[in-house]
């Protein structure tokens, strides 16, 4: 009986910890500048609403959307600042491989961006971990 009560208590502790820190994954798969700006604004608004240390936000970029995470993008400095403010940015390795095959080199990513093997798979994994999915 004691083990059951401890298991229930542990579950409630984990459940309450997750409820206290909402988690969001935001997809960017378009090179449309307006949509990319909305993605960054959504992430900033989530932090503003909950508090930067009380929400988990990850932006996953793949396909044409990968450009938002490159150093030559007009949003590069904003992405870098947001990465330093607890927003995770994940670039799709599959997309980067395609760019290298086409252009002969990998795109240069903005500081603070990490690489995930597959953007689509990353989004699915995060949803399975309880992240809310946003696609502007």
């Amino acid at each position: 009986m004691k083990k059951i009560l401890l298991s229930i208590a542990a579950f409630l502790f984990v459940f309450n910890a997750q409820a206290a820190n909402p988690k969001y994954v935001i997809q960017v798969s378009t090179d449309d500048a307006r949509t990319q700006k909305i993605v960054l604004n959504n992430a900033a608004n989530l932090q503003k609403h909950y508090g930067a240390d009380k929400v988990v936000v990850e932006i996953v970029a793949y396909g044409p959307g990968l450009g938002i995470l490159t150093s030559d993008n007009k949003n590069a400095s904003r992405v870098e600042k947001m990465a330093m403010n607890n927003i995770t940015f994940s670039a799709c390795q599959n997309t980067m491989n395609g760019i290298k095959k086409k252009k002969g080199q990998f795109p240069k990513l903005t500081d603070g961006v990490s690489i995930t093997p597959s953007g689509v798979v990353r989004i699915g994994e995060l949803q399975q971990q309880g992240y809310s999915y946003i696609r502007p």
Side-chain angles (χ1 to χ4, degrees):
M1 181 69 159
K2 195 173 189 179
K3 285 185 180 183
I4 292 172
L5 290 175
L6 286 174
S7 294
I8 292 171
F11 170 79
L12 291 174
F13 176 77
V14 170
F15 180 78
N16 285 333
Q18 289 177 342
N21 292 314
K23 302 177 287 189
Y24 293 88
V25 57
I26 306 175
Q27 172 185 325
V28 58
S29 56
T30 177
D31 59 1
D32 178 67
R34 185 174 180 199
T35 302
Q36 290 184 356
K37 183 178 180 183
I38 291 169
V39 166
L40 298 177
N41 289 346
N42 282 209
N45 288 337
L46 287 166
Q47 284 191 330
K48 189 180 296 183
H49 177 78
Y50 291 107
D53 59 336
K54 294 190 170 111
V55 64
V56 177
V57 180
E58 183 166 337
I59 295 173
V60 179
Y62 64 90
L66 186 76
I68 193 174
L69 302 183
T70 59
S71 60
D72 60 351
N73 186 280
K74 69 179 185 175
N75 292 305
S77 65
R78 186 173 182 202
V79 168
E80 189 174 333
K81 288 176 190 171
M82 292 175 84
M84 289 188 292
N85 196 30
N86 296 330
I87 294 186
T88 301
F89 290 91
S90 295
C92 176
Q93 182 70 59
N94 287 336
T95 300
M96 292 178 59
N97 291 345
I99 292 170
K100 182 178 183 199
K101 187 174 183 179
K102 189 174 184 178
K103 296 186 176 184
Q105 62 185 21
F106 287 112
K108 184 172 179 347
L109 298 176
T110 304
D111 288 341
V113 173
S114 60
I115 298 172
T116 187
S118 168
V120 173
V121 171
R122 180 69 181 154
I123 290 169
E125 290 171 346
L126 293 173
Q127 285 184 286
Q128 291 172 359
Q129 295 171 29
Y131 281 64
S132 297
Y133 169 75
I134 309 292
R135 181 174 183 237

